[in-house]
Amino acid sequence: MRTMKAVVFQEKDRIAVADVPMPVPRAGEALIRITATTICGTDVHIVRGEYPVRPGLVLGHEPVGVIHEVGRGLESLYAVGQLVIVGAITPCGQCFYCLNGSHSQCGGAHGGWRFGNTIDGAWAEYLLVPDARANLAPIPHNLSDEDVLLCPDIFSTGLGGAESANIKAGDAVAVFAQGPIGLCATLGAKLRGASLVVGIDAVPERLEMARRFGATVTLNTAEGDPVPRIKRLTEGRGVDVAIEALGRQETFENALRAIRPGGTLSSLGVYSGKLVAPYEPFYAGIGDIKIVTTLCPGGKERMRRLMALVASQRVDLTPLITHRFGLDDIEEAFDLFSHQRDRVMKVALYPGLARDRRRLESVGAGASEAEC
Ligand SMILES: [Zn+2]
Ligand SMILES: [Zn+2]
């Protein structure tokens, strides 16, 4: 039996590099060799035991790779050696939910999220892609792995928050929290034509990045309640759209307080426990407020659109990739990311690289490859 190196969840607060069986694609499936992947805030929840997964599961849901082998039925559609990404969400495209347009809810509540959740994920040398015809998205020429590394999840989710809110040209938007997803929501608000984009966070470097990603105003929560300041920026009304990108009661409540009557709260956070909508900012339930939630849109057509934005240089996501590691260095990478040390935003993980930091640094941005 062929084996491969992968990072598996062992138990709460324990992950390890292990040799696991290399998957063999069946009909409709594809095997890709991972060239780059990354760590997501959701992975931190999983490792800390806040979101349960089975022991032995390979984690990770943000794959960039090369097609290594295709199962029956895909031979005329894809070629071995083709560079691809796969969305964090892999809809089947055929079930009740998919055919009703709720691809992320494929098969049932957040069922479209399979990698590193219900099936083995991308922190490995190889990844088995289910429903490959709906999910393998070829990378445009001239784009590096790092150019597209944040498309499978972070960019799709952040932009999705702006799209779900139906932001219109000239809208006033506030984005609560400027982590990677919040920054992509800020970018999404800009792409949708918002005239005022308020980026909110407590970390100065993140606010600086928010300005780079399209925030026209930034507010530091360490300097006091952002909501009165948002009201002052909007003639006392509040914003048309507030995007919540953290998943806490406090940011949810602030987002609610920041929107005008008839406005939209677009929620991207993953909440744990009970969430309360306070009476006043909820306008007693008769304020014509819309609360919408979004799980990362996936599928190859979504990925094609996101990569088209990158290829046309409408967006550049690479400033978010601040650190690089080999897959063997996962514990160090995870520790850095989960504790937000060293001003980390996102880390790139390279399964193809040995445990050698100097070699890694010489690789620098974009370990894209043509050979296979
Ligand atoms: Zn994620
Ligand atoms: Zn489906």
Side-chain angles (χ1 to χ4, degrees):
M1 186 178 58
R2 295 180 300 174
T3 63
M4 64 172 186
K5 200 166 60 179
V7 179
V8 298
F9 173 78
Q10 291 184 313
E11 58 182 358
K12 185 175 171 307
D13 295 321
R14 267 190 69 199
I15 50 174
V17 178
D19 284 319
V20 301
M22 192 162 145
V24 178
R26 293 167 302 181
E29 297 174 339
L31 187 68
I32 65 172
R33 178 166 58 80
I34 297 291
T35 53
T37 182
T38 177
I39 304 174
C40 175
T42 307
D43 299 314
V44 177
H45 287 298
I46 290 173
V47 175
R48 288 180 179 162
E50 294 156 5
Y51 183 95
V53 299
R54 69 175 161 80
L57 183 79
V58 178
L59 299 181
H61 52 260
E62 298 164 275
V64 181
V66 180
I67 297 178
H68 186 75
E69 199 178 337
V70 294
R72 207 154 31 81
L74 295 167
E75 302 88 344
S76 62
L77 298 167
Y78 293 100
V80 168
Q82 218 173 349
L83 307 185
V84 291
I85 63 169
V86 184
I89 302 299
T90 48
C92 75
Q94 304 185 47
C95 71
F96 170 90
Y97 292 95
C98 285
L99 294 174
N100 274 292
S102 301
H103 302 104
S104 302
Q105 312 303 322
C106 174
H110 44 81
W113 173 31
R114 297 193 260 182
F115 289 142
N117 179 24
T118 55
I119 64 172
D120 283 338
W123 293 357
E125 289 179 292
Y126 295 88
L127 172 73
L128 188 70
V129 180
D131 300 303
R133 189 172 181 171
N135 289 297
L136 286 179
I139 301 173
H141 302 297
N142 73 9
L143 294 190
S144 72
D145 287 2
E146 292 195 4
D147 285 333
V148 297
L149 179 59
L150 303 187
C151 291
D153 182 359
I154 303 304
F155 183 36
S156 189
T157 300
L159 176 61
E163 291 169 324
S164 297
N166 194 22
I167 292 174
K168 296 186 201 62
D171 268 353
V173 177
V175 183
F176 286 84
Q178 296 293 310
I181 286 180
L183 286 165
C184 287
T186 297
L187 178 60
K190 177 188 165 189
L191 289 169
R192 299 272 306 191
S195 55
L196 174 72
V197 183
V198 187
I200 302 141
D201 205 285
V203 181
E205 298 84 46
R206 294 191 169 208
L207 294 175
E208 194 184 308
M209 193 69 92
R211 289 189 284 273
R212 258 175 102 172
F213 272 63
T216 54
V217 177
T218 54
L219 298 176
N220 190 331
T221 49
E223 291 163 10
D225 187 351
V227 176
R229 289 178 280 171
I230 290 168
K231 292 271 166 94
R232 278 200 295 277
L233 290 165
T234 51
E235 297 168 12
R237 284 191 299 266
V239 288
D240 302 295
V241 170
I243 300 177
E244 198 285 342
L246 195 63
R248 300 224 178 109
Q249 175 69 34
E250 189 196 356
T251 37
F252 179 84
E253 216 169 301
N254 279 342
L256 199 57
R257 289 166 58 219
I259 54 174
R260 63 167 171 83
T264 301
L265 192 173
S266 177
S267 173
L268 292 172
V270 181
Y271 302 92
S272 39
K274 191 173 172 181
L275 191 62
V276 179
Y279 179 83
E280 270 180 44
F282 194 51
Y283 301 106
I286 50 174
D288 291 338
I289 280 170
K290 288 170 282 298
I291 298 179
V292 294
T293 71
T294 307
L295 170 60
C296 176
K300 70 176 179 188
E301 170 56 11
R302 173 67 169 183
M303 294 302 116
R304 184 197 65 77
R305 285 169 178 266
L306 300 182
M307 290 191 288
L309 284 166
V310 177
S312 62
Q313 297 179 4
R314 292 271 284 155
V315 308
D316 177 10
L317 305 166
T318 56
L320 294 181
I321 301 169
T322 51
H323 294 72
R324 294 168 183 86
F325 292 91
L327 194 65
D328 287 326
D329 296 313
I330 184 70
E331 284 177 69
E332 188 186 341
F334 189 84
D335 185 65
L336 176 109
F337 181 79
S338 62
H339 293 100
Q340 293 187 11
R341 293 206 183 96
D342 196 22
R343 298 182 177 185
V344 63
M345 292 297 297
K346 288 288 278 184
V347 302
L349 292 175
Y350 290 102
L353 287 172
R355 198 187 187 96
D356 185 343
R357 302 294 297 284
R358 275 162 304 178
R359 186 177 150 210
L360 202 52
E361 272 151 26
S362 72
V363 169
S368 188
E369 53 181 305
E371 58 56 67
C372 179

